[in-house]
Amino acid sequence: SAMAAVRDVEIDPEGTFKYILVRLQRPGGEERRDIVRGTKAAEFHNHIFEKVNPEMEKLGYECKCLGGGKIDHNSKDKKIRVFGLSTGYGKADHSVTVEILKKVYTDYEITWSDDKK
């Protein structure tokens, strides 16, 4: 399906940056899935959503931001840390985010916490 063509994760390869957890759903349909998007280019969490939303609408999905936080991506040590929250969207369920990240970064150590920093 087209939904399967949407990548689970699109995050920067290195550094600490904001991320959001987004739920995709077919209007009126049962099919849904959650994706993770994060980038240093975004000064605020809504900047990420404003980029993702039109892309997904073109594919026929409704998007809902489930919350946000930060990701610390250390590609050298193969570690990802998920933490923090979004002022605008609230805190994403980082445990869900970690499960999605694990599908893509299979050989990484991935952790989460409610720490702000």
Side-chain angles (χ1 to χ4, degrees), residues 3-103:
M3 196 176 268
V6 176
R7 289 194 297 192
D8 288 310
V9 178
E10 284 182 16
I11 60 170
D12 286 359
E14 190 64 45
T16 303
F17 45 84
K18 291 180 167 66
Y19 94 89
I20 57 172
L21 184 61
V22 179
R23 173 156 293 162
L24 304 183
Q25 195 160 359
R26 285 269 183 230
E30 286 300 299
E31 193 188 9
R32 60 160 58 169
R33 63 184 266 227
D34 298 341
I35 60 170
V36 174
R37 295 292 183 267
T39 176
K40 281 195 277 258
E43 190 184 349
F44 300 105
H45 287 90
N46 63 304
H47 292 169
I48 307 172
F49 188 74
E50 283 162 14
K51 183 178 177 293
V52 174
N53 196 37
E55 288 173 8
M56 296 304 145
E57 280 183 346
K58 271 190 209 123
L59 296 171
Y61 301 113
E62 288 172 344
C63 284
K64 181 177 170 210
C65 183
L66 301 178
K70 285 187 170 175
I71 287 176
D72 182 17
H73 188 173
N74 181 334
S75 55
K76 185 169 62 76
D77 296 341
K78 297 201 168 189
K79 287 186 178 176
I80 293 177
R81 187 170 70 96
V82 183
F83 65 100
L85 52 85
S86 160
T87 313
Y89 294 122
K91 184 176 82 73
D93 185 338
H94 297 327
S95 64
V96 172
T97 301
V98 166
E99 289 311 308
I100 297 169
L101 289 167
K102 280 179 178 170
K103 288 199 254 179

